[in-house]
Amino acid sequence: MGARFRSTVVALSLLSLAPTGAAAVDGFVALDVGGSFYSPSLAFGLEGGVRWGRWGLIAKVEVNPWFSLQEKRSLKPGALNVGIGAEVSYFDGRVRTAVLAGTSTLLFGTALDKKGKTGLSVDIIAVTLRWPVHPNVVLRLDPCTLHVVMPVIDRIPLLLLEYRHTFSVEVPF
C-alpha cells in the first residue's frame, strides 16, 4: 500500500509541472535598441519567443553596427547576429535571465576578411528588468549584458566583447 500511494503522489506532482493547454503558452515579440561603449557599437534587434510559466524559448536577429570614438565618419555596418536560447523569469515576471547562442556574419569587408564571413555569437543577459505599462506592452531594460561577437574565427579571429545597455518594447501575442 505504501509504494502505491508514493507512486500516485509522484505522478500527480509531475502532472502539475506540465503546461495545461494552449492558455499556458504565451508568445511575445520585442524590438531592442542598445549600445556598448567598451567596444563602441550599436544594436538594433527583433526578438521573439514563447513562454511556459517561468521558462521560455527565444530567438533574436540583430544588426550590430560598429564605430570608433576617435575617428569621424567611422560607422561600419558591423555584424548580423542571429541566435536562439532560453530564459527564466522570476519576481512575478518582473525580472528575467537569458542566454542565446548563434551566428555572427560580417557585413563589410576588412583588410583581412571578406564581407559575409560567419562565425559565432553568444549573449549572456544576467538581468532584464520588466515593467508592464499596459496589458499589451512591457518595457524592458537590460542594464548591462555581455555579448561576444565573433564573425571571423579562422586565421586571425575578429572578436568583440560588448557590454551593452539595451532598452526594449515587448508585445505579447
Side-chain angles (χ1 to χ4, degrees):
M1 287 270 179
R4 183 176 175 184
F5 176 74
R6 275 187 243 132
S7 64
T8 304
V9 169
V10 169
L12 289 174
S13 297
L14 290 175
L15 284 174
S16 68
L17 294 175
T20 56
V25 178
D26 298 316
F28 72 93
V29 65
L31 292 174
D32 306 331
V33 176
S36 170
F37 291 107
Y38 181 75
S39 292
S41 61
L42 301 170
F44 305 98
L46 178 66
E47 180 181 332
V50 292
R51 295 184 177 117
W52 296 270
R54 295 182 56 204
W55 301 94
L57 295 175
I58 53 178
K60 186 174 184 176
V61 176
E62 71 179 14
V63 176
N64 182 208
W66 307 334
F67 62 92
S68 171
L69 296 174
Q70 284 89 25
E71 300 174 21
K72 292 181 180 179
R73 299 182 189 159
S74 67
L75 187 63
K76 302 283 187 215
L80 173 69
N81 304 318
V82 178
I84 59 171
E87 69 173 15
V88 61
S89 63
Y90 36 97
F91 295 119
D92 197 26
R94 305 283 179 154
V95 180
R96 79 165 185 166
T97 298
V99 176
L100 295 100
T103 63
S104 179
T105 302
L106 191 61
L107 296 177
F108 69 102
T110 70
L112 299 174
D113 303 302
K114 293 181 181 177
K115 177 180 175 179
K117 287 290 274 183
T118 300
L120 304 171
S121 70
V122 176
D123 299 350
I124 301 170
I125 305 166
V127 175
T128 298
L129 305 174
R130 300 178 73 243
W131 291 279
V133 294
H134 184 273
N136 293 320
V137 178
V138 175
L139 299 180
R140 298 188 331 204
L141 175 66
D142 300 335
C144 190
T145 60
L146 173 63
H147 299 265
V148 182
V149 178
M150 301 179 288
V152 179
I153 55 177
D154 59 352
R155 296 189 314 250
I156 300 172
L158 178 55
L159 173 119
L160 273 81
L161 291 177
E162 300 177 2
Y163 298 101
R164 283 194 205 150
H165 314 285
T166 306
F167 179 75
S168 306
V169 177
E170 178 182 308
V171 178
F173 63 84

PDB file of all heavy atoms in Angstrom, residues 33 36 44 75 90 106 114 123 138 143 148 154:
ATOM      1  N   VAL A  33      16.835  48.129 -28.757  1.00  0.00           N
ATOM      2  CA  VAL A  33      17.794  49.158 -29.151  1.00  0.00           C
ATOM      3  C   VAL A  33      18.812  49.257 -28.031  1.00  0.00           C
ATOM      4  O   VAL A  33      18.437  49.374 -26.863  1.00  0.00           O
ATOM      5  CB  VAL A  33      17.117  50.530 -29.358  1.00  0.00           C
ATOM      6  CG1 VAL A  33      18.147  51.593 -29.672  1.00  0.00           C
ATOM      7  CG2 VAL A  33      16.063  50.460 -30.436  1.00  0.00           C
ATOM      8  N   SER A  36      27.048  49.743 -26.771  1.00  0.00           N
ATOM      9  CA  SER A  36      28.179  49.449 -25.901  1.00  0.00           C
ATOM     10  C   SER A  36      29.228  50.531 -26.083  1.00  0.00           C
ATOM     11  O   SER A  36      29.530  50.930 -27.211  1.00  0.00           O
ATOM     12  CB  SER A  36      28.767  48.084 -26.267  1.00  0.00           C
ATOM     13  OG  SER A  36      29.993  47.869 -25.603  1.00  0.00           O
ATOM     14  N   PHE A  44      20.423  46.901 -32.968  1.00  0.00           N
ATOM     15  CA  PHE A  44      19.004  47.052 -33.281  1.00  0.00           C
ATOM     16  C   PHE A  44      18.488  45.650 -33.570  1.00  0.00           C
ATOM     17  O   PHE A  44      18.962  45.010 -34.511  1.00  0.00           O
ATOM     18  CB  PHE A  44      18.801  47.948 -34.509  1.00  0.00           C
ATOM     19  CG  PHE A  44      19.459  49.293 -34.363  1.00  0.00           C
ATOM     20  CD1 PHE A  44      20.708  49.529 -34.926  1.00  0.00           C
ATOM     21  CD2 PHE A  44      18.840  50.304 -33.658  1.00  0.00           C
ATOM     22  CE1 PHE A  44      21.327  50.753 -34.799  1.00  0.00           C
ATOM     23  CE2 PHE A  44      19.456  51.541 -33.523  1.00  0.00           C
ATOM     24  CZ  PHE A  44      20.704  51.768 -34.092  1.00  0.00           C
ATOM     25  N   LEU A  75      31.511  54.939 -38.681  1.00  0.00           N
ATOM     26  CA  LEU A  75      30.451  53.949 -38.543  1.00  0.00           C
ATOM     27  C   LEU A  75      30.578  52.871 -39.621  1.00  0.00           C
ATOM     28  O   LEU A  75      30.620  53.172 -40.809  1.00  0.00           O
ATOM     29  CB  LEU A  75      29.076  54.622 -38.630  1.00  0.00           C
ATOM     30  CG  LEU A  75      27.873  53.746 -38.335  1.00  0.00           C
ATOM     31  CD1 LEU A  75      27.908  53.233 -36.897  1.00  0.00           C
ATOM     32  CD2 LEU A  75      26.588  54.512 -38.580  1.00  0.00           C
ATOM     33  N   TYR A  90      11.571  35.525 -12.940  1.00  0.00           N
ATOM     34  CA  TYR A  90      11.306  35.421 -11.513  1.00  0.00           C
ATOM     35  C   TYR A  90      10.774  36.754 -11.026  1.00  0.00           C
ATOM     36  O   TYR A  90      10.631  37.687 -11.809  1.00  0.00           O
ATOM     37  CB  TYR A  90      12.558  34.958 -10.738  1.00  0.00           C
ATOM     38  CG  TYR A  90      13.868  35.480 -11.263  1.00  0.00           C
ATOM     39  CD1 TYR A  90      14.460  36.592 -10.705  1.00  0.00           C
ATOM     40  CD2 TYR A  90      14.515  34.870 -12.333  1.00  0.00           C
ATOM     41  CE1 TYR A  90      15.659  37.082 -11.185  1.00  0.00           C
ATOM     42  CE2 TYR A  90      15.724  35.353 -12.822  1.00  0.00           C
ATOM     43  CZ  TYR A  90      16.283  36.456 -12.235  1.00  0.00           C
ATOM     44  OH  TYR A  90      17.471  36.944 -12.715  1.00  0.00           O
ATOM     45  N   LEU A 106      29.812  38.929 -40.757  1.00  0.00           N
ATOM     46  CA  LEU A 106      30.442  40.212 -41.027  1.00  0.00           C
ATOM     47  C   LEU A 106      29.729  40.905 -42.192  1.00  0.00           C
ATOM     48  O   LEU A 106      29.541  40.313 -43.246  1.00  0.00           O
ATOM     49  CB  LEU A 106      31.923  39.995 -41.361  1.00  0.00           C
ATOM     50  CG  LEU A 106      32.819  41.215 -41.424  1.00  0.00           C
ATOM     51  CD1 LEU A 106      32.866  41.927 -40.073  1.00  0.00           C
ATOM     52  CD2 LEU A 106      34.224  40.794 -41.852  1.00  0.00           C
ATOM     53  N   LYS A 114      36.748  38.963 -45.830  1.00  0.00           N
ATOM     54  CA  LYS A 114      35.717  39.324 -46.800  1.00  0.00           C
ATOM     55  C   LYS A 114      34.361  39.497 -46.111  1.00  0.00           C
ATOM     56  O   LYS A 114      34.086  38.864 -45.090  1.00  0.00           O
ATOM     57  CB  LYS A 114      35.590  38.231 -47.860  1.00  0.00           C
ATOM     58  CG  LYS A 114      36.788  38.102 -48.747  1.00  0.00           C
ATOM     59  CD  LYS A 114      36.568  37.027 -49.785  1.00  0.00           C
ATOM     60  CE  LYS A 114      37.796  36.884 -50.664  1.00  0.00           C
ATOM     61  NZ  LYS A 114      37.647  35.805 -51.628  1.00  0.00           N
ATOM     62  N   ASP A 123      25.208  35.582 -26.283  1.00  0.00           N
ATOM     63  CA  ASP A 123      24.637  36.675 -25.483  1.00  0.00           C
ATOM     64  C   ASP A 123      24.322  36.137 -24.101  1.00  0.00           C
ATOM     65  O   ASP A 123      23.629  35.122 -23.971  1.00  0.00           O
ATOM     66  CB  ASP A 123      23.339  37.201 -26.092  1.00  0.00           C
ATOM     67  CG  ASP A 123      23.518  37.764 -27.488  1.00  0.00           C
ATOM     68  OD1 ASP A 123      24.673  37.919 -27.932  1.00  0.00           O
ATOM     69  OD2 ASP A 123      22.502  38.051 -28.131  1.00  0.00           O
ATOM     70  N   VAL A 138       5.067  45.754 -22.564  1.00  0.00           N
ATOM     71  CA  VAL A 138       6.016  45.611 -21.467  1.00  0.00           C
ATOM     72  C   VAL A 138       7.295  46.343 -21.876  1.00  0.00           C
ATOM     73  O   VAL A 138       7.825  46.115 -22.969  1.00  0.00           O
ATOM     74  CB  VAL A 138       6.333  44.125 -21.176  1.00  0.00           C
ATOM     75  CG1 VAL A 138       7.416  44.000 -20.111  1.00  0.00           C
ATOM     76  CG2 VAL A 138       5.084  43.377 -20.751  1.00  0.00           C
ATOM     77  N   PRO A 143      20.345  46.404 -17.974  1.00  0.00           N
ATOM     78  CA  PRO A 143      21.321  47.399 -17.540  1.00  0.00           C
ATOM     79  C   PRO A 143      22.739  47.118 -18.023  1.00  0.00           C
ATOM     80  O   PRO A 143      23.462  48.037 -18.365  1.00  0.00           O
ATOM     81  CB  PRO A 143      21.256  47.358 -16.020  1.00  0.00           C
ATOM     82  CG  PRO A 143      20.181  46.425 -15.661  1.00  0.00           C
ATOM     83  CD  PRO A 143      19.700  45.729 -16.867  1.00  0.00           C
ATOM     84  N   VAL A 148      29.302  38.391 -26.923  1.00  0.00           N
ATOM     85  CA  VAL A 148      30.557  38.012 -27.565  1.00  0.00           C
ATOM     86  C   VAL A 148      30.245  37.849 -29.045  1.00  0.00           C
ATOM     87  O   VAL A 148      29.478  36.966 -29.432  1.00  0.00           O
ATOM     88  CB  VAL A 148      31.124  36.707 -26.970  1.00  0.00           C
ATOM     89  CG1 VAL A 148      32.450  36.362 -27.626  1.00  0.00           C
ATOM     90  CG2 VAL A 148      31.274  36.824 -25.460  1.00  0.00           C
ATOM     91  N   ASP A 154      38.499  31.966 -38.026  1.00  0.00           N
ATOM     92  CA  ASP A 154      39.695  31.310 -38.574  1.00  0.00           C
ATOM     93  C   ASP A 154      40.807  32.348 -38.734  1.00  0.00           C
ATOM     94  O   ASP A 154      40.590  33.552 -38.566  1.00  0.00           O
ATOM     95  CB  ASP A 154      39.382  30.617 -39.900  1.00  0.00           C
ATOM     96  CG  ASP A 154      38.864  31.577 -40.964  1.00  0.00           C
ATOM     97  OD1 ASP A 154      38.598  32.751 -40.640  1.00  0.00           O
ATOM     98  OD2 ASP A 154      38.714  31.146 -42.115  1.00  0.00           O
TER      99      ASP A 154
END
